[in-house]
Amino acid sequence: MAVVFERTKGLRPVSTHYCPGCTHGIIHRLTAEALEELGVLDRAIGVAPVGCSVLAYNYFNCDMQEAAHGRAPAVATGIKRVLPDKFVFTYQGDGDLASIGTAEVVHAAHRGENISIVFVNNAIYGMTGGQMAPTTLAGQRTTTSPLGRDPLHAGYPIRIAEMLAMIPGAAFIERVSVDSPANVRKAKKAIKRAFEIQLEGKGFSLVEVLSTCPTNWGIEPPLALKWLRENMIPYYPLGNFRDKTKEEATDE
Amino acid sequence: MAVVFERTKGLRPVSTHYCPGCTHGIIHRLTAEALEELGVLDRAIGVAPVGCSVLAYNYFNCDMQEAAHGRAPAVATGIKRVLPDKFVFTYQGDGDLASIGTAEVVHAAHRGENISIVFVNNAIYGMTGGQMAPTTLAGQRTTTSPLGRDPLHAGYPIRIAEMLAMIPGAAFIERVSVDSPANVRKAKKAIKRAFEIQLEGKGFSLVEVLSTCPTNWGIEPPLALKWLRENMIPYYPLGNFRDKTKEEATDE
Amino acid sequence: MAAKGKVTFSRDLCKGCGLCVSACPLKILEMDRETINEKGYNPAYCADPQKCIGCANCAMMCPDQVITVERF
Amino acid sequence: MAAKGKVTFSRDLCKGCGLCVSACPLKILEMDRETINEKGYNPAYCADPQKCIGCANCAMMCPDQVITVERF
Amino acid sequence: MNSERTILAGFGGQGVMLMGQLLTQAGMFEGKEVSFLPSYGPEMRGGTANCGVIIQTEPISSPVVEGNATSEIIMNLPSLLKFEKDLIPGGKLLINSSLIERKASRSDIEVYYIPSSDIANELGNTRVSNMVMLGAFIEVTGAVDSENVFHALEERLGEEKAHLMEINRDAFERGMECARKQRTNG
Amino acid sequence: MNSERTILAGFGGQGVMLMGQLLTQAGMFEGKEVSFLPSYGPEMRGGTANCGVIIQTEPISSPVVEGNATSEIIMNLPSLLKFEKDLIPGGKLLINSSLIERKASRSDIEVYYIPSSDIANELGNTRVSNMVMLGAFIEVTGAVDSENVFHALEERLGEEKAHLMEINRDAFERGMECARKQRTNG
Amino acid sequence: MAKILMKGNEAVGEAAIRAGCRFFFGYPITPQSELPEYMSLHLPKVGGVYLQAESEIAAINMVYGAAGCGARVMTGSSSPGIALKQEGISYMAGAELPCVIVNMMRGGPGLGSIQPAQSDYFQSTRGGGDGDYRLLVYAPASVQEMVDYVQIAFDKADKYRNPVLVVGDGVIGQMMEPVEFVSKPAENLPEKDWATTGTGGKREPNIINSLYLDAEKLERHNIHLSKKYSYMQENEQRWEATGLEGAELVIVAYGTTARIARSAMDNLNKKGWKIGLLRPITLWPFPEKGFQLLDETTKHLLVVEMSMGQMIDDVRIVNEGKRKIHFTGRSGGVIPSTSLIEEKILEILERSE
Amino acid sequence: MAKILMKGNEAVGEAAIRAGCRFFFGYPITPQSELPEYMSLHLPKVGGVYLQAESEIAAINMVYGAAGCGARVMTGSSSPGIALKQEGISYMAGAELPCVIVNMMRGGPGLGSIQPAQSDYFQSTRGGGDGDYRLLVYAPASVQEMVDYVQIAFDKADKYRNPVLVVGDGVIGQMMEPVEFVSKPAENLPEKDWATTGTGGKREPNIINSLYLDAEKLERHNIHLSKKYSYMQENEQRWEATGLEGAELVIVAYGTTARIARSAMDNLNKKGWKIGLLRPITLWPFPEKGFQLLDETTKHLLVVEMSMGQMIDDVRIVNEGKRKIHFTGRSGGVIPSTSLIEEKILEILERSE
Ligand SMILES: Cc1ncc(C[n+]2csc(CCOP(=O)(O)OP(=O)(O)O)c2C)c(N)n1
Ligand SMILES: Cc1ncc(C[n+]2csc(CCOP(=O)(O)OP(=O)(O)O)c2C)c(N)n1
Ligand code: SF4
Ligand code: SF4
Ligand code: SF4
Ligand code: SF4
Ligand code: SF4
Ligand code: SF4
Ligand SMILES: [Mg+2]
Ligand SMILES: [Mg+2]
């Protein structure tokens, strides 16, 4: 009899504060497993954002810094420039990364900063009680788009992966989802690949993970996965948007 | 005998503070001509940046606001939301727009804000004495890249037009140059088209104009044009990157 | 038919979200409506352990690392 | 040959940058090294007005709106 | 000075905030000075919710009910453990005994055990268990007039949900009744 | 207290800042208290550049030379108009007469007209006109020893540009000579 | 008008709308998010615009643009969010643009906590923007006062062409109290002929700006601003004084803390002590005049804050060494209890007996 | 070591490098750009890193990350740029991260001018970040002092685990003076065992953080910080006093202004007046102890600033009504002249005669 699945050592043995069924938990696990499997836990320094995952510093089993809202990529830059041999990653929500922190993530990519980012897009501001995010879908109701997001007023949701892929410094950009076991497995692969890119010294890597917020969407967890599948994936197509290592391979 | 070229009424009858041969002057003229020709001078509200063109409020012959460094798109948003029937534009440098103001321009585009932006890319921070900009070319010497920009350290220069074109809310994005009379004429056309997009209520429009900084490049004005042509244009290809009106036309 | 897999739940960690339940291809997981765990939730459990194929889909979807999966 | 165009310089606005000079397809513009204008620069001028074709290339490149161009 | 200072506490979803607001609003209808202060801390994610309500004739200075509560409505065990100490001697403690097996530990207070979830269940809607508690509360404190609570509820439900008035009223009265009995017995 | 407070002003590109720095550095070599304060305002874009240098035996309090200059080196007309008033009575004014036709308007000061651009031209390099002025300045003020100026310049030029020493020395000496003559004449 | 039971944050929104505010640019943050939420629902109903900015920085700069067009405009946030607005606020003060900014303070420094606090007193009264500028700062102590001062704030902002800050804390933002919206006749306000609304071909261009490359000009501008601030100091001080006569000790506290202090005072006075309360309503200008009313009998001032003590500075300034100054408070989001204050007072008075 | 003639901004850079600073994150702004420029050329030579951030906000957050790893790290800017750093500074104070921040002040408010000023006194001493926190603030008055205090600043930052601010102005940033780099033996500094450098599998994870969701915990943290600040107040006050004995009037001025005031003082004292000068070197903690040395003869304090008067507040606080306080200064980038100060002094003294 073989254990085919058990709790990763990449997470501390504590229970998280996340709401029941919130896929932040899954994404934490994938991130932690990647750290563990790549053997970098003891030289990893993670950066937690401001958002529901603000307490990530209590969960990942490695050194952690808690950054100001949106500034995780800048903080990670500071860390990486001081300790280029350590493994540095940020874990950020869509309010954090795609709204207030836009300049910081764009310029970390622009500098080809050799860090990795796990970007959790749940189309809402979870922590503050469900306000509209730049990634909130057209028509989606939130506490600051009470009648549903009106693209004529607030624009069409921003596609971060596509945008960052246009920046010369970005080495690896992929969008994944955690709505099904199969997609979770793919997500894990992408995160691990992104981390390897850093270990290979190739530069900036980011994985956008489509995620749920059952609480603020007001949808039961299993249905929230369905909602993600049916509403988010069509607008936010899954796939790789940039992989410099492959481009280089083709170049040869 | 017909006057084929005279000073536009879009500019106040004053001499600018720009260095001799600085193409900011040309771009001012094109912008002002477009305002005049479209007949919007009396209902235009412009936003000046922080950069060499900070004093643009003294030059354009219309109401003007001077914004904090990088925040012109946010200021323009405030204006446009209050006065949707007025014509609102910003005039920004590459330090202003592509560095500190990244989040503001990305989100103005994201919201499909119905404003127009003239983005002057001279690959350097002119006003503060020639420091590196995110758009500074690889190998280019500046006062903060004294040995030439090293992409391994500071990344490859960012291509703003290409990046913004990926944002769903952006309606019109084009890159032009003012290194020759022919290109100046094309630049004028693009700026005018961008302004028309706003007048048609189509949303966010931006024209990136490749420009010189003879003073901080340390190159005589005519040679600066040549330098632009030979070094900037290959990296920053000219052309239209997005025109929603055409996409819509094709959609039909 | 002998079980090919085995799932174990750290029941007190369970938040009763039901994601494992809907992920199990054999529909053998259920919420235990009788029990309230330390955290105040009805925890999930395996209602028909014999059928488990050890595919780990349940564990893959559990946000709280409640489930350990073994395969024979 | 009669001139087809005419260029007029607001000389005191000129900053002596020379962009017009290099833009003129007929190479008829020059810097006036003899004169220093109000701003302290050698202004540009047309050394051979008869040849001007009124193409306005010079004006197109002048950053300081120094030049007015007429065509016959 | 006539002052009712109440702590209401329970799980999120038990209607604790609504209870507090109805009470406050009813007090306002009666021309009294009122305040309602909800907790909004991070513990809310953990699922607990509580608020403090003050109803009195004099202007309210501090809106914080802490250590000087005259009454409490307690809907779950963690809240009992947390807030029992905040009652003044002689204060009134109403416990949802359907969910809380434990008894009050103090002897210097008046305690009422209201099986509100069970009563609500009997009425066919577990969600009205808060109204059962509120009825009981009004019965023992007389903080405000029942009719004003109903009035507040009516406003709150609006026309769309007006049909829910009846079951809420029933729940409220069952709560009153239950408390009345304990009072007579006790 | 022996104190030389000098304003140096002209167009950008005339080497005004370099003059000021050489002077300051020479003063430092002599163990004196020195300070060099450049203007960096927006007028620099307009092409003017100026700085204030203090060389004295006592510690320097205010590094600002304004209204109390003991000497001035003026390289263009706008600077003459702007700074003439800042000289103390008896102060020394050195004017680059190649570029400035106008005469000084004050009679309570010592004025020297040095055709420095012309002299530099004669020497074959218009760029050394600042050294001509500096030579004249040292001649009339004796603010520092010439050798220390050369020493400062040497450091500044480094090995790469060491070949430029000679022409600079020549320019300096021509400046001294020119001033010496005016002194004798005047 | 009948009273309505409203949450502080929402009442602020309603008051703003009634004061003619039609534009709100904000970014969510606890404990003030109900303000943008309220605005997002209600502004469109009156033809106004709620826009969620990408950040607090963008929000304050949108406010700048809107105010420059002459609109009544507002933004709100909580402590770290207000920190991000400092540059923009300084620009607005420099360009003399009116607006109302709300800060529902929470515990700091840094990310701190989301619980109520008053530790942005320095930030409110001395700012973190650059240069010589001042904000008019109101610190209401109840939901009703919030409503009243938000309305006043808009008028004062327009009157002085200056940003006005209204500070509350988590308690005031989250609590519900009955409020009445009394529409006061607006002050006689100057026309906004400086606004950029398009020349219409009828006037010279208007320019909104805070840059003065010529130092002498900037100095003249600073002197102009400074005169305005002096005028405000003379005319806009507000405070509430209770029981000053014969008081042995006077509590100095504002906002929520003043209410708790009031309870403590009442309790002690009932026991025969002589305690007074001086509640600054304007934090800037600090109500120096209120302190001139202090009785000779008053030997002690007790400053109470939900912070480690910041207002003490201003009390020391106006006190000029006359009375003994004491401090008590709680910080980090903990609300001081009446008993804390009572004990502190007794300690002071009993020790000095 | 021989003296070198250096520009203030560059001397700051060199001093930092000699103090072991190996990381600089900055963003250009006049009049301090020569600092990042110097760093961009010289840091790589000693194995350090200069990185131009996309903004002042990014810069201070990079500093946060680097400081969290235990590095000696610096950033610099000028007035509006420092305004943008306020949130980050508050985070660093909250997370107890050492760093050195340089502000070469220019005229404000808003974009203001690029000329020298001292109108960020409030910003420096009271900050614009949220919460109860303090910075140690040095205000050197010469290029040499800049060098000395930048070195001290790094030590103090490490000692207290707190950001240290060094303020100059356009004059100090741009002027050249001879400097000497004397390497002082570093203070006995605590090990940075809290830094996030990777656990190496040898210890529990380290966490750099300013969030305390539990208000009581945040309060304990605030009390801890507050004790540190009190200790600093007790031990870190620095000032320079000249001619206090028998002085009728004492000038209070710092930085460049103090030097000009010194000239004015010398001029008047030569004429037989009795003027003293008290120059705060630490703006926070404000040198209260220096004021205790004032002579009984001193009836007047004259505060001189390149601002409309901000330090007055602190002088009023320490003065406690004992002496008459006066003010003069210039603002917006204008440098006060010695004659302005002399005239003001004569006006005060002659009027009071
Ligand atoms: C400067 C600042 N602005 C705003 C906030 C309030 N805030 C906390 S989390 C958050 C957004 C969180 O949304 P997201 O990043 O999408 O993360 P999620 O909670 O959805 O995982 C906001 C706006 C803050 N703490 N600091
Ligand atoms: C907040 C802030 N940071 C920095 C500056 C200094 N600054 C003024 S202009 C400028 C950059 C200008 O470069 P760019 O936008 O490319 O315009 P250019 O001068 O090249 O036209 C900077 C960094 C400032 N004024 N405010
Ligand atoms: S609020 Fe949403 S994102 Fe946050 S923990 Fe709950 S479900 Fe997850
Ligand atoms: S510094 Fe450069 S960009 Fe600025 S005016 Fe001069 S040439 Fe133009
Ligand atoms: S391992 Fe597979 S079969 Fe077994 S319980 Fe889990 S999901 Fe079902
Ligand atoms: S997925 Fe995990 S937390 Fe959710 S019900 Fe199943 S075991 Fe419990
Ligand atoms: S109009 Fe054409 S031909 Fe005439 S001067 Fe100008 S560029 Fe030359
Ligand atoms: S382009 Fe214009 S400014 Fe330049 S030399 Fe010609 S006329 Fe003069
Ligand atoms: Mg989110
Ligand atoms: Mg530029």
Side-chain angles (χ1 to χ4, degrees), chain G residues 125-198:
Chain G
T125 59
R126 269 85 172 172
D130 56 300
D132 291 293
Y133 71 98
R134 293 294 196 169
L135 306 182
L136 181 52
V137 185
Y138 291 113
S142 67
V143 179
Q144 181 64 55
E145 255 193 19
M146 266 283 159
V147 162
D148 298 340
Y149 279 102
V150 162
Q151 296 188 340
I152 291 170
F154 276 102
D155 280 356
K156 297 294 181 192
D158 281 347
K159 172 168 181 176
Y160 293 111
R161 289 189 60 183
N162 208 65
V164 177
L165 180 65
V166 180
V167 300
D169 56 56
V171 170
I172 290 194
Q174 298 294 324
M175 75 187 291
M176 294 177 100
E177 285 187 318
V179 289
E180 214 169 354
F181 293 92
V182 190
S183 62
K184 277 180 267 334
E187 283 191 58
N188 199 355
L189 295 172
E191 267 223 69
K192 297 185 173 179
D193 51 9
W194 43 265
T196 56
T197 53

Side-chain angles (χ1 to χ4, degrees), chain A residues 97-125:
Chain A
L97 182 143
S99 193
I100 191 170
T102 309
E104 285 72 18
V105 74
V106 163
H107 284 278
H110 154 240
R111 289 188 302 270
E113 211 59 66
N114 196 24
I115 58 171
S116 307
I117 293 186
V118 178
F119 165 43
V120 180
N121 178 359
N122 60 6
I124 208 156
Y125 285 23

Side-chain angles (χ1 to χ4, degrees), chain G residues 3 21 76 102 109 149 198 227 233 239 265 316 320 327 339:
Chain G
K3 289 198 173 185
C21 169
V102 175
Y149 279 102
K227 280 190 187 141
Q233 261 178 316
W239 68 90
M265 174 185 94
R316 285 182 77 179
E320 300 200 309
F327 176 78
S339 56

Side-chain angles (χ1 to χ4, degrees), chain B residues 23-24 27 92-96 98 119-127 129-145 149 157-158 160 208-214 216-217 219 224 227-228 231-233 235-236, chain H residues 52:
Chain B
T23 45
H24 262 305
I27 306 168
Q92 303 179 251
D94 48 339
D96 196 70
F119 165 43
V120 180
N121 178 358
N122 59 6
I124 208 156
Y125 285 22
M127 182 184 221
Q131 294 80 14
M132 192 186 79
T135 48
T136 293
L137 295 178
Q140 188 182 338
R141 278 171 201 254
T142 69
T143 56
T144 53
S145 60
R149 179 183 185 149
I158 193 165
I160 287 292
E208 174 172 344
V209 189
L210 302 184
S211 184
T212 66
C213 177
N216 288 301
W217 293 0
I219 306 180
W227 194 90
L228 184 166
N231 296 277
M232 289 182 76
I233 296 184
Y235 188 84
Y236 295 115
Chain H
Q52 189 164 310

Side-chain angles (χ1 to χ4, degrees), chain C residues 9 14-21 31 44 61-64 66-67:
Chain C
F9 290 79
C14 178
K15 290 182 186 154
C17 70
L19 291 191
C20 54
V21 173
M31 305 316 294
M61 295 309 292
C62 176
D64 288 278
V66 174
I67 311 171

